[in-house]
Amino acid sequence: MRRHKQARGPSPSVAEPRRPLLLAVLSFVLAARAFQGVQRISLLGSIVTTKPIPKDVDVLVIIDARMEWAGLARAGRRLMGTAQTINLGADIFLADTTGRYLGRICHYRECHPRVLCRAQHCGQRDHLNDDLHVVTLSQELIASPPVDLWPSVVRRVSIPADVENILLNELEQDQ
């Protein structure tokens, strides 16, 4: 994952932000896996490290690019909103089944011109923030993310205990 601009350090409103972020990811996965066209859901970024205060949680969703995104976008905004309540963020990255990075789920419920919108083609595809000039994911990361959450749990890196206990064990029991 490559970010083009460096952001300030995180300042969560809770002392231990990892647990609420992981619970929010669990809720997102349980909702997102139900949408026809969702092929794989993975976890990326600092939350899969032992970093005590990640600035956000990053989820990658592999989709059939022709799917209807409204429900997935709603679930994504719910994850973003939960993270925002503790003064942190969430990104839901989208890629198609060929491994092509598409962009992120838009933070806005309705698409109309905004000064803060960084999408290159705002409104061409509802709920898509194609700000590829701001954030991109490599094909290698898309093909082999640190952790797959659904349709099966796959660990490709050493997993912190909280991710294992709060998220992965729950998802494995549910499969």
Side-chain angles (χ1 to χ4, degrees):
M1 177 173 21
R2 187 177 74 222
R3 295 207 183 256
H4 299 284
K5 290 195 176 197
Q6 193 70 343
R8 291 178 278 152
S11 56
S13 62
V14 295
E16 302 287 329
R18 291 179 62 89
R19 180 175 178 77
L21 286 175
L22 291 168
L23 289 171
V25 170
L26 178 61
S27 293
F28 172 77
V29 172
L30 295 176
R33 69 183 186 183
F35 297 111
Q36 187 174 0
V38 172
Q39 304 295 314
R40 186 179 83 203
I41 304 171
S42 304
L43 192 61
L44 315 169
S46 59
I47 196 77
V48 295
T49 71
T50 57
K51 185 175 183 179
I53 302 177
K55 72 179 179 84
D56 64 1
V57 64
D58 299 316
V59 178
L60 169 64
V61 182
I62 304 298
I63 60 169
D64 175 343
R66 298 171 308 216
M67 74 176 274
E68 170 55 46
W69 297 5
L72 180 62
R74 190 171 30 262
R77 285 191 306 275
R78 200 172 305 121
L79 170 57
M80 292 177 215
T82 300
Q84 220 171 23
T85 64
I86 60 170
N87 212 25
L88 295 174
D91 281 313
I92 297 87
F93 300 101
L94 301 171
D96 67 17
T97 55
T98 68
R100 183 174 59 103
Y101 178 63
L102 303 172
R104 299 182 282 174
I105 289 179
C106 184
H107 288 65
Y108 300 110
R109 186 180 52 181
E110 296 176 2
C111 189
H112 54 82
R114 293 175 169 85
V115 172
L116 295 177
C117 183
R118 293 184 168 173
Q120 293 176 354
H121 303 97
C122 184
Q124 278 187 358
R125 179 74 196 243
D126 284 347
H127 314 292
L128 177 64
N129 180 3
D130 63 345
D131 60 349
L132 307 183
H133 60 292
V134 176
V135 179
T136 58
L137 296 184
S138 69
Q139 286 187 325
E140 294 79 19
L141 182 59
I142 292 169
S144 186
V147 183
D148 285 343
L149 303 174
W150 185 84
S152 59
V153 173
V154 178
R155 299 159 183 85
R156 295 183 183 90
V157 298
S158 178
I159 304 298
D162 60 346
V163 174
E164 192 69 49
N165 296 329
I166 296 169
L167 187 58
L168 302 185
N169 289 343
E170 285 295 318
L171 290 170
E172 286 178 324
Q173 289 175 7
D174 192 58
Q175 292 177 353

